[in-house]
Every structure is written in structure tokens, then in C-alpha cells.
């Protein structure tokens, strides 16, 4: 490999799925200021909205998460076009 072209901060990072609190460890260069303790060891923490444990494609379950009322806004906006 060529010298000087690869990231220096390649380390084990904890990724946390915020929708179901699942945590998994993998190597990454993602920058973060937060940490999380897993099995007595502290790791840098990256928070995610969705992961393989909560995505409908991987779980086979369709789950609707409406945090900002977007569906209601859409329905009221386009209700005038309904026949």
C-alpha cells in the first residue's frame, strides 16, 4: 500500500441504532465526540436513525415511524384533491 493516503484514526467504534437501542461494534474512521461503554470498555459512539436491526427490508416488518406528524401534514395538504 502507498504511504500517507490512508486514514490514521481507524479504530473500533460503537454504532447505536436510536430507534431500538441496538449497539454493534465495527472498525471505522467516523469522527465523534461521544463515547459509550460496552462490556466495560469505552468506545467512540456514532448514533444512527436506522440500521439492519430496524430497517423493514432486513426485518421483514413494515413499521411506520412518524415523529414530526408528516403524514397528517400530507393528508391535510392534499385533502382538497380528494374526490
Amino acid at each position: 500500500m502507498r504511504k500517507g493516503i490512508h486514514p490514521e484514526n481507524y479504530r473500533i467504534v460503537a454504532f447505536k441504532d436510536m430507534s431500538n437501542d441496538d449497539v454493534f461494534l465495527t472498525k471505522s474512521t467516523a469522527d465523534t465526540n461521544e463515547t459509550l461503554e460496552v462490556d466495560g470498555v469505552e468506545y467512540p459512539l456514532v448514533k444512527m436513525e436506522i440500521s439492519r436491526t430496524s430497517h423493514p427490508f432486513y426485518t421483514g416488518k413494515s413499521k411506520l415511524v412518524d415523529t414530526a406528524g408528516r403524514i397528517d401534514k400530507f393528508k391535510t395538504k392534499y385533502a382538497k384533491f380528494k374526490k
Side-chain angles (χ1 to χ4, degrees):
M1 292 193 299
R2 291 180 23 195
K3 300 280 184 198
I5 63 169
H6 300 286
E8 298 294 326
N9 63 341
Y10 198 63
R11 73 240 187 258
I12 296 178
V13 177
F15 286 87
K16 182 175 183 179
D17 186 341
M18 299 308 289
S19 64
N20 63 3
D21 292 330
D22 181 51
V23 176
F24 62 94
L25 301 173
T26 189
K27 290 187 175 181
S28 177
T29 60
D31 291 328
T32 181
N33 295 329
E34 299 180 70
T35 60
L36 178 70
E37 188 172 318
V38 178
D39 297 330
V41 180
E42 198 165 301
Y43 297 102
L45 173 65
V46 175
K47 295 180 180 177
M48 304 182 314
E49 295 290 324
I50 195 163
S51 71
R52 59 180 163 64
T53 59
S54 62
H55 194 282
F57 179 80
Y58 296 108
T59 62
K61 301 174 187 171
S62 181
K63 182 171 80 170
L64 178 64
V65 178
D66 185 24
T67 57
R70 290 184 229 142
I71 293 173
D72 293 331
K73 288 180 189 176
F74 178 83
K75 287 181 180 179
T76 56
K77 183 176 179 179
Y78 292 100
K80 61 184 173 187
F81 298 112
K82 191 176 179 180
K83 290 185 177 183

